[in-house]
Amino acid sequence: MVKRYSDLYLDARRALLPSYGQEQAGFVARQLLCAASGKSQEAILANRDKFAGESVCDTMESWTLRAVAGEPLAYILGQWEFYGMTLEVTSHVLIPRDDTMAVAELAVRQTLMLEHDPRVLDLCTGSGCIGLAIANQVKDVRVTLADISREALAVAKKNTVAHKLTGRVSCVQMDVTQTAPAFLGQFDLIVSNPPYVTSGEMLELEPSVRNFEPALALDGGGDGLDFYRAIVEHFKDSLKPGGFFCFEFGMGQGNDVCRILKEAGFQILEVKKDYSEIDRAVLAQKIREEEMHRGEQENSL
Ligand code: GLN
């Protein structure tokens, strides 16, 4: 049955009301209708008394059911905004979160200060959001996006192509729990938003995360720190002397992540908060061999 645009909107909003509440329901209904019809909000308003085609009506019906079932809007729309880019997302990758702006900003700022064709590696890249933000902001940087999941890498690759960054961005499959492959070479900066949810927290995730987002991208082991230990151990030699690690971490994990970095010979340069004023990201620099030895000598004097 075909419907008018106004009814498509109102029916979706009514269905979404119990789970989304007054304000959000209208917003989600509008987003769905714009994407389903390929029209702007203004065009929908101007055409509100016109009938939409059958496929728009069918799409709205199935998308509304998915939204009512709790599926995040990003997966239904198949795309999400991050750092001024529209990125494709599927259920194989985490939805880029506002929290992740902290690590992305730290990494972009540090990369802008690097000289001579810098190289950046984004580990556990998922949709590619952090590495692509860096490539998009820093014109001469070459970026490698790495993930263990082939499905995630396929998404990262599509996003690279969509943003015309294939000349400077490459995608490789990589398991960070294994030694870094020799072909990788060395980087100026390695950034990562690895899985950091503890085993205990995994049981208490919100349904929209637990039921729809990939556990592989969230589960950081017993204390949530497995991937920081693995990345620091396996990839510190993939950093040039004086190179940088830049990590996102979970609420309350800052001290532990900084300790892992310091124990491996890194100096903490900055801890950055997210929009909720929670410590969320760290930038650390590899202390050069000479400086380490100098430190040792001074200690022994
Ligand atoms: N911030 C995400 C969440 O708790 C977790 C992201 C991650 O594990 N890297 O939903």
Side-chain angles (χ1 to χ4, degrees), residues 110 114 187-190 236 238-246 265-267 269 283-288:
Q110 189 56 51
L114 297 170
F187 294 84
D188 298 274
L189 183 143
I190 297 178
K236 67 172 189 283
S238 307
L239 279 176
K240 296 177 188 171
F244 302 87
F245 267 136
C246 192
F266 283 76
Q267 185 185 358
L269 299 186
L283 176 71
Q285 185 169 26
K286 189 172 175 176
I287 301 174
R288 290 169 204 269

Side-chain angles (χ1 to χ4, degrees), residues 8-273:
L8 280 174
Y9 168 73
L10 290 171
D11 289 353
R13 197 181 68 170
R14 197 171 308 120
L16 292 162
L17 210 53
S19 34
Y20 277 89
Q22 194 78 26
E23 257 173 58
Q24 278 286 334
F27 169 78
V28 175
R30 238 182 347 261
Q31 296 276 318
L32 293 177
L33 188 51
C34 288
S37 63
K39 289 186 189 300
S40 67
Q41 273 189 51
E42 296 74 23
I44 288 172
L45 208 58
N47 289 295
R48 60 180 175 275
D49 294 328
K50 300 222 170 78
F51 282 94
E54 202 159 334
S55 77
V56 174
C57 297
D58 290 349
T59 304
M60 270 310 276
E61 194 173 332
S62 85
W63 283 2
T64 305
L65 285 174
R66 285 168 65 183
V68 169
E71 185 168 347
L73 189 55
Y75 290 142
I76 302 174
L77 301 178
Q79 60 182 43
W80 206 240
E81 293 287 319
F82 184 76
Y83 223 110
M85 297 179 294
T86 302
L87 297 174
E88 172 172 326
V89 293
T90 70
S91 58
H92 294 290
V93 303
L94 283 189
I95 301 164
R97 289 156 161 72
D98 287 348
D99 298 345
T100 300
M101 286 299 286
V103 71
E105 277 171 5
L106 262 187
V108 165
R109 210 181 59 212
Q110 189 56 51
T111 307
L112 282 168
M113 290 195 274
L114 297 170
E115 289 165 14
H116 318 300
D117 302 329
R119 289 190 78 208
V120 168
L121 172 63
D122 177 5
L123 293 173
C124 310
T125 192
S127 63
C129 60
I130 304 173
L132 291 173
I134 298 169
N136 206 30
Q137 298 288 324
V138 188
K139 291 308 163 210
D140 56 354
V141 67
R142 281 174 298 144
V143 177
T144 302
L145 308 176
D147 205 289
I148 192 171
S149 155
R150 286 205 178 279
E151 292 87 353
L153 272 184
V155 176
K157 182 85 212 172
K158 275 197 193 172
N159 284 325
T160 306
V161 173
H163 290 276
K164 302 192 171 51
L165 290 166
T166 48
R168 294 187 288 118
V169 177
S170 54
C171 299
V172 292
Q173 193 192 20
M174 204 171 301
D175 178 356
V176 298
T177 66
Q178 307 291 317
T179 311
F183 73 80
L184 260 189
Q186 285 195 311
F187 294 84
D188 298 274
L189 183 143
I190 297 178
V191 65
S192 185
N193 172 18
Y196 57 64
V197 178
T198 67
S199 304
E201 289 164 348
M202 283 300 290
L203 305 171
E204 290 162 14
L205 289 173
E206 281 177 44
S208 70
V209 179
R210 187 178 59 235
N211 298 338
F212 296 97
E213 301 214 50
L216 184 66
L218 294 163
D219 190 348
D223 62 359
L225 303 171
D226 283 1
F227 289 89
Y228 302 100
R229 287 186 283 262
I231 291 173
V232 171
E233 179 187 342
H234 296 129
F235 289 84
K236 67 172 189 283
D237 292 336
S238 307
L239 279 176
K240 296 177 188 171
F244 302 87
F245 267 136
C246 192
F247 292 142
E248 175 173 327
F249 52 78
M251 202 163 102
Q253 291 176 332
N255 287 343
D256 288 329
V257 172
C258 288
R259 180 180 42 75
I260 292 168
L261 284 160
K262 282 191 229 159
E263 283 173 5
F266 283 76
Q267 185 185 358
I268 308 302
L269 299 186
E270 188 172 343
V271 172
K272 193 172 168 68
K273 294 187 191 304

